[in-house]
Amino acid sequence: MVGARGVVRNAAGAEIENATVQIATASGMSVLDVQQTTPKGCFTFSDIPPRHEKRFTLDVSAPGYKPAHFDFGDYKVTLLVILAPDSSEEASELHPMTHDQTVGIYEPLCVTFVSHAASTLGPT
C-alpha cells in the first residue's frame, strides 16, 4: 500500500484551498492521482501501487506559490507542506509530520471522528 496525506499552508500558517497535489511513480511511468486540497488544506491518497513500483513522487502547487516536491517509498507518510509565495526568496517546504504534528495539526483539520456511541454514520 502506498499513501500520502497532509496539510498545505502558506508561510503565515493559513491553509491553502484548491492546491493541486499530484502523486506519481518515481519512474514517471504513471500518475497515480491528482487532487485539489479541501477548504482546510487537506489531502489524502491511499492505493495499491502499480506492480514493481517502490518509489513515488508528490508534487504540490498553487497559483501564486512556488511548487514543492517530495520523493517517498511504498509506505504511508503524513506531510506538512508550506508553500512560499512566488515573490519570496525562500523555497517552499515539505516535511514529514512528527507524531505530535499529526495529532495536533492533521487530525483536527482533516479527520472526521466517529463517537464510540454512534449507531450510524448518517445524519441524526
Side-chain angles (χ1 to χ4, degrees):
M1 187 63 80
V2 62
R5 63 185 187 169
V7 175
V8 179
R9 292 181 162 176
N10 65 23
E15 290 82 18
I16 299 177
E17 180 179 4
N18 292 322
T20 299
V21 179
Q22 177 178 294
I23 299 154
T25 57
S27 66
M29 295 302 290
S30 65
V31 173
L32 304 178
D33 192 26
V34 177
Q35 58 182 263
Q36 305 302 121
T37 55
T38 68
K40 295 180 181 179
C42 304
F43 66 91
T44 301
F45 169 79
S46 182
D47 204 353
I48 297 171
R51 190 172 187 192
H52 303 297
E53 294 287 351
K54 300 290 182 194
R55 302 294 305 165
F56 305 92
T57 62
L58 184 139
D59 291 284
V60 181
S61 61
Y65 294 94
K66 295 179 180 180
H69 176 83
F70 186 71
D71 293 312
F72 65 106
D74 61 340
Y75 55 91
K76 293 190 179 215
V77 63
T78 303
L79 302 166
L80 178 59
V81 182
I82 308 292
L83 295 183
D86 284 334
S87 60
S88 173
E89 293 188 19
E90 300 295 320
S92 290
E93 301 175 20
L94 197 152
H95 303 284
M97 285 189 185
T98 65
H99 172 74
D100 289 344
Q101 288 174 318
T102 300
V103 172
I105 298 171
Y106 178 80
E107 289 179 359
L109 289 173
C110 306
V111 177
T112 302
F113 290 98
V114 178
S115 166
H116 293 287
S119 60
T120 68
L121 293 178
T124 56

